[in-house]
Amino acid sequence: AKYSNETDDREACEVMVEEVDRLNRAITELLEFARPSQLSLKSTDLNGIVTHSLRLIEQDVRQKDIQVIRDEAAHLPPVSLDADRFTQCLLNLYLNSIQAMDRGESLFIRTAFDPVAQTFTIEVEDTGAGMDPANVSKVFDPYFTTKGTGTGLGLAIVHKIIEAHNGTIKVRSTPGKGTVFTLMLPGTPMDEEPE
């Protein structure tokens, strides 16, 4: 009987730890969403940010055997952005994609620069479940989620950060085929936030 009680206690502790982690994530997302989007803008290598952000999901990718395919433009000019906030942006998009995919599917990341329009483009595409049209128009709404867990703030935070960079984000999705998020950032120098 003692062994059974110890097992029950251990399982109860594991559940409590999982719940604390879940609550921490929810509170962090709420605070992140409520925080003013004051940026620390610096001249940054966009492909370097992609490399760094992908390192943060290596374990998630391995667990689901996701194939990461990069198609980055060579010799990109530097872009003015807040590296930490933009990394968070990409991370939220990657995790959203990974959750939508089954084992062995693919995540594509592309970068480009249009010298005429002076615009950087970053695409994050997955081969996951996709979304129906009714949900696509709501994905950036705070607290909207189709998942059983989570706050629904991940993509709302992405939208907020991109807008703070004077950029735009678009999404297109096909049920059963996947989703593409397209981020566009201005390539012209931006005024840095005052100290």
Side-chain angles (χ1 to χ4, degrees):
K2 189 171 188 304
Y3 178 78
S4 175
N5 286 342
E6 285 177 357
T7 302
D8 290 346
D9 288 348
R10 188 171 64 248
E11 286 177 358
C13 284
E14 286 171 358
V15 168
M16 284 166 51
V17 168
E18 286 175 8
E19 277 300 292
V20 168
D21 285 346
R22 187 183 66 79
L23 286 168
N24 274 338
R25 283 195 304 273
I27 290 166
T28 300
E29 285 189 337
L30 281 165
L31 291 172
E32 183 62 44
F33 187 70
R35 188 169 74 170
S37 290
Q38 289 187 330
L39 303 179
S40 176
L41 298 172
K42 289 186 174 61
S43 184
T44 308
D45 171 23
L46 186 58
N47 288 340
I49 292 286
V50 170
T51 297
H52 172 67
S53 62
L54 286 172
R55 284 198 198 106
L56 302 175
I57 60 161
E58 281 177 354
Q59 186 175 353
D60 304 86
V61 164
R62 271 199 305 273
Q63 281 179 346
K64 280 187 106 169
D65 194 25
I66 301 295
Q67 185 179 16
V68 176
I69 301 161
R70 297 170 66 168
D71 178 14
E72 294 162 320
H75 311 299
L76 285 175
V79 58
S80 183
L81 52 74
D82 183 319
D84 289 340
R85 305 299 292 279
F86 197 75
T87 297
Q88 181 191 6
C89 233
L90 292 176
L91 189 59
N92 284 6
L93 291 175
Y94 299 156
L95 294 175
N96 196 69
S97 289
I98 289 168
Q99 287 175 353
M101 289 191 281
D102 292 326
R103 289 188 64 82
E105 295 202 57
S106 298
L107 177 67
F108 300 86
I109 296 95
R110 304 179 189 92
T111 61
F113 178 69
D114 182 340
V116 176
Q118 287 287 297
T119 303
F120 290 88
T121 303
I122 307 96
E123 282 189 348
V124 177
E125 178 179 2
D126 64 62
T127 57
M131 296 176 276
D132 64 55
N135 288 338
V136 169
S137 62
K138 300 175 189 170
V139 292
F140 300 119
D141 293 354
Y143 311 113
F144 174 77
T145 180
T146 58
K147 304 180 189 99
T149 59
T151 60
L153 284 174
L155 293 178
I157 290 168
V158 168
H159 189 265
K160 186 179 178 189
I161 293 171
I162 295 298
E163 280 199 332
H165 281 87
N166 293 337
T168 59
I169 180 167
K170 295 178 182 176
V171 57
R172 65 181 191 275
S173 188
T174 306
K177 292 196 173 178
T179 301
V180 185
F181 286 94
T182 303
L183 318 179
M184 299 184 80
L185 297 174
T188 49
M190 295 170 60
D191 292 332
E192 301 207 351
E193 290 287 329
E195 293 293 327

